Amino acid sequence: MTAASGPIRPLYAQASGSPIRAMLALAGQEGMISLAGGHPDPALLPADWLRECLLEVASGVQGRSLQYGATEGLPALRAASAELLRQRGLQAQMEEVLITTGSQQAIDLLARVLMEPGAGIAVEPFNYPAALQAFRFAGAQLVQVPADAQGMNVDRLEAVLTAARPKVLYIVPNFANPTGAVMPLARRLRLLELAVRHGVTLVEDDPYGELWFGEPPPPSLAQLNQQAGSPAQVAYTTSYSKVVAPALRLGMLLAPPDIARAIVLAKQAADVHSGSLEQLTLTAMLASGRLAAHLGMLRQAYALKASALAGALHSHCDGLIEFSEPRGGMFVWAQLGSELPLMSTQAWTDFGLKHRVLAVPGAAFSLHNRAQARLRLSFANPSVEDLREGALRLGRGLRSLQA
Amino acid sequence: MTAASGPIRPLYAQASGSPIRAMLALAGQEGMISLAGGHPDPALLPADWLRECLLEVASGVQGRSLQYGATEGLPALRAASAELLRQRGLQAQMEEVLITTGSQQAIDLLARVLMEPGAGIAVEPFNYPAALQAFRFAGAQLVQVPADAQGMNVDRLEAVLTAARPKVLYIVPNFANPTGAVMPLARRLRLLELAVRHGVTLVEDDPYGELWFGEPPPPSLAQLNQQAGSPAQVAYTTSYSKVVAPALRLGMLLAPPDIARAIVLAKQAADVHSGSLEQLTLTAMLASGRLAAHLGMLRQAYALKASALAGALHSHCDGLIEFSEPRGGMFVWAQLGSELPLMSTQAWTDFGLKHRVLAVPGAAFSLHNRAQARLRLSFANPSVEDLREGALRLGRGLRSLQA
């Protein structure tokens, strides 16, 4: 599509669609095994629990419940969300919690209220593509900070902050997408210190923090900041998509008061408020007290899947890829052996069609969409059987690339 | 709030909250009559119909229905929405219709994909405040086009287009908020002609078009443009908020393909997709075939309310205000007599608290929030009895201002 002609801003006219979405369109093909999506396993989505609560909501529907609601969110859901945050170690009062249309909206609105067009945002080399897209659409410049298996490399961060002077830093400290990395406590503390010193606002995105397998991750940046007397500006967002259901499109934001005020103004103009039926349903689900047990079940199920994929990769892809065993979240982040060719996203799609196994190449998560010796393999969606078969096909396919 | 300090962009740090919202916070006071809100009457919201459909949706909930959905919207809802648009005289295929989180999101996303920061958008002197806010947050410059009782003055539009070269024009041709104006057919045709000649993209916002009392408004700009072979760029949005229920937060957009493509990219980064439970419920409601009867009931009920308010204003505010009888929509737009003082929004709030009747002063709809000799009186929400009592109180209050 050419940019100069039509009425569309070049920022949007030249933007490419998500390569992951393009790949997911192939996931439904007969016999295809997809390790590509970041979608929960439908079998693990709480259909019965949600149905019961939805029936309860339905019987209580009155004219009043169909009226416009508050931009900040349904008070009862804000209260239940604040309680959840308190259980995770954060200080949070109902009035401080905002309900958003998924944490995606929190990220998007934060980008809009924080990022002056052209301002810099610091990010790791590999990121959740829809967050990068939100930052790009806000006109932000992506500033790359080196990272390793423990997440963002804070020792090298200071030089970046000094040189590029980004105004905001985006981070997923727990089981990041796509890397799966968990940032250790010492790095978190150092990151907060640098944020204060350089006046950088932190956007902490934590969709996966509750999906730990062995032990929970260290305290969130937001919690550590509160414990230190809140010297840093930290906007913390998390989502109900991974722990309850994506279809509800509900997330929450805990941010300093001036940021929260701006977010409410931005949300008034963006969608007025998030859907009331979804908010009522989620409120009923949380009130039922079943979330903790559901989370326990999810952790076990995903841990089993992670271990099945890791085991099968060790069996079938030995010498072809390297990876760390996932400690939570939904992803294995594979480093491709140096004897394998660097391939474009299109080439990986062709590979997937040929070998009947889809995985997302690293380029999709990189800042400039360049080919990388990386693959993201998601264990969340497929069955254990399909994870094993997927690893087998992947090994066979990768071996054929060596030849 | 000062702008220079904190991390917030001045655009948001300096933005004021909606004066209407501030006023609505007072509407719940004991004994207060509010003609301020643009909210539907809760008694007219289809609680039974929605409850039945929600129960149906609830019993059908499966893991699959709780998964991520398509950004473009639920296919069945897109199909039903296209059918609705066809009933309104538009050519629309399912693939061309996008579901948005209320038409507010359609306006916001259009502003984002069309308006380069600093670019001009042509608007009437009095507008729906949340649309103006979306344009401001996109960095657009508001360019005022004169208007009269028949809406935008297209004879004076050409001079504005030539002088200020706005890229986009925003218009509510049917029962506009706050003016209630309906643009006549000849003006619509002339507007399309000017849009083509000056390369201006039209954003046609039509939330009230179905709420006509005597006879339906002329064909939409989008329809007239299609009939002419689509020489103009027209993005048409309408909402389910006024004809079904605001709480669903669902609207739709029919736009040229390149604009639609950009909107989908923007929505992926904004909220991924609109809530699935709401989409499923609305789909079931539309499939039940009851919308036409519901609309017929709404038209009658609102016509009765409009006539009650107009009659009471003639009785109690004679010589104090002038207005045209509403032909649809939700609003009476009153011109205040010249012997009444120009008052700030705060002064009108104090007036409302004193006389126990709330109305929104014209400043709230104006481009620069300056005092205007105008009041918007909404007849949608109060009972007929309250409309009469409200007009009585308003007359008494206005008379005291004269003294």
Side-chain angles (χ1 to χ4, degrees), chain A residues 132-148:
Chain A
L132 295 184
Q133 191 79 312
F135 303 144
R136 286 194 197 100
F137 286 161
Q141 297 297 321
L142 302 175
V143 174
Q144 184 165 313
V145 184
D148 56 27

Side-chain angles (χ1 to χ4, degrees), chain A residues 7 40 51 58 67 104 242 278, chain B residues 40 51 58 67-68 167 269 278:
Chain A
R51 188 184 313 113
Q67 191 57 277
Q104 184 65 40
K242 314 299 181 194
E278 325 265 353
Chain B
R51 189 183 313 113
Q67 192 55 280
Y68 285 104
K167 198 184 160 195
E278 325 265 354

Side-chain angles (χ1 to χ4, degrees), chain B residues 6-73:
Chain B
I8 319 289
R9 294 177 64 194
L11 193 61
Y12 289 88
Q14 291 162 0
S16 53
S18 158
I20 303 185
R21 273 163 199 274
M23 205 166 250
L24 287 181
L26 308 171
Q29 287 193 355
E30 181 68 26
M32 183 67 83
I33 291 178
S34 174
L35 309 175
H39 294 33
D41 183 345
L44 300 178
L45 290 171
D48 294 339
W49 179 23
L50 192 140
R51 189 183 313 113
E52 285 166 35
C53 293
L54 193 51
L55 286 168
E56 187 186 318
V57 168
S59 8
V61 162
Q62 303 167 34
R64 219 156 254 290
S65 29
L66 303 184
Q67 192 55 280
Y68 285 104
T71 300
E72 294 83 351

Side-chain angles (χ1 to χ4, degrees), chain B residues 82 85-94 96-97 222-223 225-230 254:
Chain B
L85 293 178
R86 287 195 295 272
Q87 288 167 16
R88 296 185 190 179
L90 285 155
Q91 294 166 35
Q93 297 306 313
M94 187 259 250
E96 300 169 307
V97 177
Q223 182 183 345
N225 187 48
Q226 287 182 342
Q227 287 169 355
S230 298
L254 180 69

Side-chain angles (χ1 to χ4, degrees), chain A residues 7 9 15 40 51 58 61 66-68 71 104 108 112-113 167 242 246-247 249 261 269 271 276-278, chain B residues 7 9 15 21 40 51 58 61 66-68 71 104 108 112-113 167 242 246-247 249 261 269 271 276-278:
Chain A
R9 294 176 65 194
R51 188 184 313 113
V61 161
L66 304 183
Q67 191 57 277
Y68 285 104
T71 300
Q104 184 65 40
D108 185 57
R112 295 178 74 179
V113 308
K167 199 184 159 193
K242 314 299 181 194
R249 308 302 314 122
R261 175 189 177 276
D271 67 2
S276 299
L277 297 180
E278 325 265 353
Chain B
R9 294 177 64 194
R21 273 163 199 274
R51 189 183 313 113
V61 162
L66 303 184
Q67 192 55 280
Y68 285 104
T71 300
Q104 183 65 40
D108 185 56
R112 295 179 75 178
V113 307
K167 198 184 160 195
K242 313 299 181 193
R249 308 303 314 124
R261 175 189 178 277
D271 67 2
S276 299
L277 296 180
E278 325 265 354

Side-chain angles (χ1 to χ4, degrees), chain B residues 274-342:
Chain B
S274 301
S276 299
L277 296 180
E278 325 265 354
Q279 292 192 69
L280 287 164
T281 305
L282 181 57
T283 304
M285 292 178 82
L286 297 174
S288 74
R290 289 164 66 176
L291 180 62
H294 181 68
L295 259 175
M297 181 281 288
L298 283 183
R299 285 178 194 129
Q300 281 194 5
Y302 284 127
L304 199 74
K305 284 167 175 256
S307 150
L309 178 60
L313 291 172
H314 284 307
S315 304
H316 302 302
C317 303
D318 195 38
L320 295 162
I321 63 170
E322 286 182 7
F323 63 94
S324 304
E325 201 93 8
R327 295 162 54 192
M330 298 188 159
F331 309 110
V332 166
W333 183 233
Q335 169 82 48
L336 296 165
S338 55
E339 66 283 16
L340 290 166
L342 272 190

